[in-house]
Amino acid sequence: MRLTSAGMFLLLFSALQATDVQEKEVRALVGSDVELSCVFPERHSFDLNDLYVYWQTSVVGTPKTVVTYYLSGNSSAGHEDNRYRDRARLSLESMKRGDFSLHLHNITPQDEQRFNCLVFRKSLELEKILDVVVTLHVAANYSMPVVRAPSGPSENEELTFTCTSVNGYPRPNVYWINRTDNSLLNETLQNNTVSLNAHGLYDVVSVLTIRRTPSVNVGCCIENVLLHQNLTTISTQAETVTGTEYGITESQADAPKKQGAVLSALIVLGVVVAVAVATGWVCRSRCPPQDPRRSWAARPEQTFSSTVSDENSPPGAWTGFL
Ligand SMILES: *[C@@H]1O[C@H](CO)[C@@H](O)[C@H](O)[C@H]1NC(C)=O
Ligand SMILES: *[C@@H]1O[C@H](CO)[C@@H](O)[C@H](O)[C@H]1NC(C)=O
Ligand SMILES: *[C@@H]1O[C@H](CO)[C@@H](O)[C@H](O)[C@H]1NC(C)=O
Ligand SMILES: *[C@@H]1O[C@H](CO)[C@@H](O)[C@H](O)[C@H]1NC(C)=O
Ligand SMILES: *[C@@H]1O[C@H](CO)[C@@H](O)[C@H](O)[C@H]1NC(C)=O
Ligand SMILES: *[C@@H]1O[C@H](CO)[C@@H](O)[C@H](O)[C@H]1NC(C)=O
């Protein structure tokens, strides 16, 4: 079988030439498309009949999964893992110019992997000319948290608030906020249940139990670390003499200002460009939000999936490789 033999030589060559692996990181939203960059650092045109190109997942200690590949003269078909069939694409036109980037369509949480791009040239006795590892970080936006205020008889010594948010990724941080002084409530007062749902995304339910006081004003904040996003919902429980009128809720979200197009950070051999991209990610907003009118909803520039590859980084790092 061709795949088997191809796989054999692949492993062999990985072992023999474990040098100069380029490492990058990319982030993408679930459901979006992403390009995993693998570009030959020098200007060079390639003959498609001279190339073997492999994209495989690379997890230490587990078998490699073929994402897609191109074998000299034959366009790839048939041997990809089912998970990637029809979702992974190489561009032959780009490959002629030395761009072996992988286009991955409709990202799922399971795509949070290390992807390895390997390029060999037949005319150089199958010398490996490129070895790039791209780590894909996947994120999904949590739903606006819904806070259920306590109901029922008011004789209880304790009040129980429940905060629910669904379909996010990665795992959330949950904070409860004392809206009276905007402080964080002690974590020991909350009990979080985080579960993976059928879509491979996280649902979270947080239960806050606090001592009954005449007026309680709390907020629930769901933090998505990867998106640098805090979603906050406020619950005001104004107790009356009869103690039955609870549950005025209002919602608002707090989002970073810099959540737009740039969602990719790369780590390329100390290239300063990476620092510039990374600092673009510094989030300036905080939770709880300072301005109650500032809302998340109308944000036109949410093009999270348009990842930034290293097109702009200087190619110097790879000279002397061949
Ligand atoms: C392309 O694939 C066919 C059938 O799989 C094979 O016979 C042929 O030798 C391949 N061509 C090249 C250039 O590898
Ligand atoms: C994320 O979710 C919040 C709450 O549902 C919503 O307001 C916001 O527009 C969403 N953002 C994106 C990028 O989908
Ligand atoms: C919230 O903060 C106010 C003022 O610091 C304090 O009086 C109140 O007890 C706090 N509420 C809770 C639930 O901790
Ligand atoms: C949170 O509560 C625990 C138990 O009541 C207490 O030991 C701890 O000091 C508190 N932490 C803070 C930051 O108040
Ligand atoms: C947290 O909630 C779970 C599920 O409701 C429960 O089994 C567990 O005992 C709770 N833990 C604490 C510390 O209250
Ligand atoms: C979200 O809120 C938490 C708790 O206040 C804070 O530590 C964190 O920095 C906030 N994150 C963002 C992105 O605003």
Side-chain angles (χ1 to χ4, degrees), residues 173 175 177 182 184 221-225 227-232 254-256 283-288:
N173 291 327
Y175 308 98
I177 298 151
N182 274 355
L184 293 181
C221 173
I222 304 292
E223 180 181 27
N224 188 320
V225 176
L227 292 177
H228 298 262
Q229 177 189 67
N230 275 331
L231 297 172
T232 305
D254 187 20
C283 173
R284 280 174 257 150
S285 59
R286 287 174 319 208
C287 178

Side-chain angles (χ1 to χ4, degrees), residues 9-57:
F9 106 82
L10 184 62
L11 288 177
L12 189 64
F13 274 76
S14 307
L16 283 178
Q17 309 180 339
T19 54
D20 290 335
V21 181
Q22 228 179 319
E23 293 260 2
K24 300 173 187 179
E25 297 195 34
V26 165
R27 309 175 198 214
L29 271 186
V30 169
S32 71
D33 301 346
V34 72
E35 182 183 281
L36 306 184
S37 167
C38 177
V39 182
F40 192 70
E42 292 156 42
R43 196 176 284 280
H44 193 285
S45 60
F46 290 89
D47 177 1
L48 290 180
N49 288 314
D50 187 31
L51 290 171
Y52 289 83
V53 181
Y54 287 85
W55 275 93
Q56 60 191 6
T57 62

Side-chain angles (χ1 to χ4, degrees), residues 2 49 52 71-75 122:
R2 204 174 66 226
N49 288 314
Y52 289 83
L71 300 178
S72 154
N74 279 323
S75 64
K122 208 154 76 172

Side-chain angles (χ1 to χ4, degrees), residues 47-240:
D47 177 1
L48 290 180
N49 288 314
D50 187 31
L51 290 171
Y52 289 83
V53 181
Y54 287 85
W55 275 93
Q56 60 191 6
T57 62
S58 143
V59 182
V60 178
T62 63
K64 296 182 192 313
T65 299
V66 180
V67 177
T68 192
Y69 59 89
Y70 174 85
L71 300 178
S72 154
N74 279 323
S75 64
S76 59
H79 296 299
E80 299 91 351
D81 190 86
N82 275 334
R83 234 184 315 162
Y84 297 108
R85 190 164 300 158
D86 303 330
R87 289 208 298 131
R89 192 173 56 79
L90 296 170
S91 159
L92 299 186
E93 275 313 305
S94 303
M95 276 163 49
K96 289 181 193 163
R97 298 191 308 267
D99 180 352
F100 308 98
S101 301
L102 174 74
H103 300 266
L104 200 53
H105 174 63
N106 195 8
I107 299 296
T108 72
Q110 290 74 41
D111 293 332
E112 182 142 292
Q113 303 264 8
R114 279 162 56 88
F115 292 85
N116 189 193
C117 166
L118 293 164
V119 182
F120 305 87
R121 282 185 68 185
K122 208 154 76 172
S123 61
L124 299 177
E125 290 171 334
L126 293 178
E127 185 187 335
K128 183 168 72 180
I129 59 160
L130 203 50
D131 186 344
V132 176
V133 172
V134 184
T135 303
L136 178 59
H137 296 287
V138 171
N141 191 13
Y142 278 92
S143 68
M144 190 59 84
V146 173
V147 176
R148 246 194 7 254
S151 59
S154 59
E155 294 87 52
N156 299 346
E157 286 289 295
E158 291 181 331
L159 293 172
T160 302
F161 292 85
T162 306
C163 174
T164 307
S165 178
V166 297
N167 289 330
Y169 202 91
R171 278 183 90 88
N173 291 327
V174 183
Y175 308 98
W176 285 89
I177 298 151
N178 182 348
R179 297 291 302 178
T180 309
D181 59 2
N182 274 355
S183 62
L184 293 181
L185 292 172
N186 193 325
E187 276 180 33
T188 56
L189 301 172
Q190 72 192 53
N191 184 358
N192 302 337
T193 309
V194 180
S195 53
L196 267 183
N197 65 28
H199 307 292
L201 302 172
Y202 288 107
D203 295 344
V204 57
V205 178
S206 178
V207 178
L208 175 75
T209 309
I210 52 175
R211 238 187 35 249
R212 178 178 293 276
T213 51
S215 158
V216 181
N217 187 355
V218 295
C220 172
C221 173
I222 304 292
E223 180 181 27
N224 188 320
V225 176
L226 205 60
L227 292 177
H228 298 262
Q229 177 189 67
N230 275 331
L231 297 172
T232 305
T233 297
I234 297 162
S235 171
T236 305
Q237 187 248 337
E239 205 172 27
T240 63

